[in-house]
Amino acid sequence: MNATEVLKASKSVSSGVIGIFGTLSNIVSLSYFLRDDTPGGVGTKLLMLLNIFDLLVCVSASSVVLLDSIPATSPQLIALFNISQILFRIATQCTGFTTCLLSITRTIAFQCPFYQVNNVAVGVAAAVHTFLISCMEIVVLVLFWCGSEGDEMPIRALHAMNCTELTILSVIFVVVVSSNMFSVVKLVSQDPEGEIRRATITVIILSLLFCVFNMTFIGVLGCIVLEVELNDILSWMTLWLALPLNSACNPIVYICRKQPMRFYLKQTFRRIVLCKKVDYKTTKNLVRYTAYSGMSRRGSVISAAHNNASRSNSLGPHRTSL
């Protein structure tokens, strides 16, 4: 096995591992969102939508890597490979737009706490963006399938689509950075507490991951539009390593930042591994109380000690002298 074959095998293995890990982590976090019956706001719905698109990114990336390692011996495999690539491109664009909506709505809720964000408008915006991106990708794919060998129409359509997606992704990047800068400034100046602070920091972390992993993708897409020759390893690291890794890291952020999700995962682990029956209704009520009361286990102990001390002091000098 020469160096080229070793490099190709290592690329396939690393991308496959990230894709499989991201698929499993997104399935776990999505199961929590689907089981949770608490009436969440627009932020919770956008987190769930981002979770779905991240799952699609990881599944499609794993499919592309797997099909790329198999010799293309039939038209069906080639068609499946092209469809997986299209799904990957659609999902990556939709994760960026959903992150942008999440940043904007969180900044509005943070800067203007009495302003009610229109959930229907946010949902329509996400649906329209997904529809337009899907139509562009499908039209270009059909042109390549139906066009002849010397036809330049598919090439021009692909170039126009790349220019459009580059423009949209660049605008999304600027909006995400700008909105989170406003949130960070107010977070430092006012130092809010409770659920507002936790939710804002969660969105900032998700936005930071998006910016870090998609910065190189914007650069690579710009080089493709400008027809600048790229290194194959750089292109592979950007498309099949960085983008799936971003989608694989987002569920870890949910688990680390959301106490109800951690509690749900612990109870699910006990039910599956230890074969113990878990009352999800009781545990969810307990998690809700703990989350919305803003009390940690340490806070409960401190409050109990404070109450005991106050009760002792109210009993008089003879009680405290003991």
Side-chain angles (χ1 to χ4, degrees):
M1 182 179 291
N2 55 28
T4 305
E5 294 177 350
V6 172
L7 180 61
K8 184 177 180 180
S10 62
K11 291 194 299 184
S12 300
V13 170
S14 56
S15 299
V17 168
I18 292 175
I20 293 173
F21 171 75
T23 300
L24 295 176
S25 61
N26 278 283
I27 288 175
V28 169
S29 58
L30 186 60
S31 67
Y32 166 79
F33 286 118
L34 294 176
R35 183 178 285 272
D36 187 23
D37 57 357
T38 55
V42 63
T44 302
K45 293 180 175 62
L46 286 175
L47 283 178
M48 184 176 176
L49 183 62
L50 180 61
N51 199 166
I52 294 173
F53 285 132
D54 283 333
L55 178 60
L56 185 57
V57 167
C58 295
V59 171
S60 57
S62 302
S63 302
V64 169
V65 172
L66 177 62
L67 294 171
D68 186 51
S69 61
I70 300 174
T73 56
S74 64
Q76 290 79 8
L77 285 177
I78 297 176
L80 187 59
F81 178 79
N82 291 330
I83 292 173
S84 298
Q85 281 190 319
I86 293 299
L87 289 176
F88 178 79
R89 289 174 62 102
I90 294 173
T92 52
Q93 293 287 331
C94 291
T95 54
F97 190 75
T98 307
T99 305
C100 180
L101 289 177
L102 195 60
S103 301
I104 293 173
T105 54
R106 185 66 250 168
T107 302
I108 292 174
F110 193 28
Q111 299 285 343
C112 308
F114 297 105
Y115 179 80
Q116 186 68 31
V117 178
N118 193 333
N119 295 353
V120 177
V122 174
V124 169
V128 169
H129 174 266
T130 304
F131 176 76
L132 293 178
I133 293 296
S134 301
C135 287
M136 285 195 303
E137 296 284 352
I138 293 172
V139 166
V140 171
L141 180 62
V142 171
L143 287 176
F144 271 97
W145 279 354
C146 300
S148 58
E149 186 175 348
D151 191 4
E152 293 185 357
M153 180 61 70
I155 304 298
R156 293 177 180 176
L158 178 62
H159 181 73
M161 183 184 66
N162 287 333
C163 291
T164 304
E165 292 184 352
L166 176 62
T167 303
I168 294 174
L169 195 59
S170 301
V171 172
I172 288 173
F173 187 88
V174 173
V175 171
V176 169
V177 172
S178 302
S179 60
N180 280 278
M181 285 179 63
F182 283 110
S183 297
V184 169
V185 170
K186 189 166 184 179
L187 196 67
V188 173
S189 60
Q190 295 189 0
D191 193 20
E193 296 181 356
E195 191 65 24
I196 297 177
R197 179 183 179 87
R198 175 173 289 275
T200 305
I201 293 177
T202 300
V203 174
I204 290 174
I205 294 173
L206 292 173
S207 303
L208 182 61
L209 289 175
F210 167 77
C211 293
V212 169
F213 287 113
N214 284 266
M215 192 181 302
T216 54
F217 177 59
I218 294 175
V220 168
L221 193 58
C223 292
I224 293 174
V225 169
L226 298 175
E227 298 181 356
V228 177
E229 187 175 355
L230 286 172
N231 186 280
D232 292 337
I233 298 179
L234 178 61
S235 300
W236 163 78
M237 290 181 63
T238 301
L239 290 175
W240 309 113
L241 195 64
L243 296 181
L245 188 59
N246 182 17
S247 296
C249 289
N250 285 342
I252 299 176
V253 176
Y254 307 153
I255 295 171
C256 293
R257 300 292 303 173
K258 293 179 72 68
Q259 184 181 5
M261 183 177 289
R262 293 197 302 271
F263 202 93
Y264 163 76
L265 293 178
K266 290 178 182 179
Q267 299 301 322
T268 304
F269 177 80
R270 291 180 59 191
R271 182 175 63 88
I272 295 176
V273 177
L274 303 179
C275 300
K276 292 185 177 181
K277 186 177 180 180
V278 177
D279 186 358
Y280 281 104
K281 185 176 181 180
T282 303
T283 55
K284 276 196 286 188
N285 291 335
L286 179 60
V287 169
R288 288 177 200 164
Y289 171 76
T290 306
Y292 291 109
S293 63
M295 290 174 59
S296 62
R297 188 177 303 172
R298 178 174 174 269
S300 301
V301 173
I302 294 176
S303 300
H306 176 73
N307 293 335
N308 291 334
S310 300
R311 190 181 302 126
S312 299
N313 291 332
S314 65
L315 293 177
H318 65 280
R319 181 65 177 171
T320 57
S321 62
L322 295 178

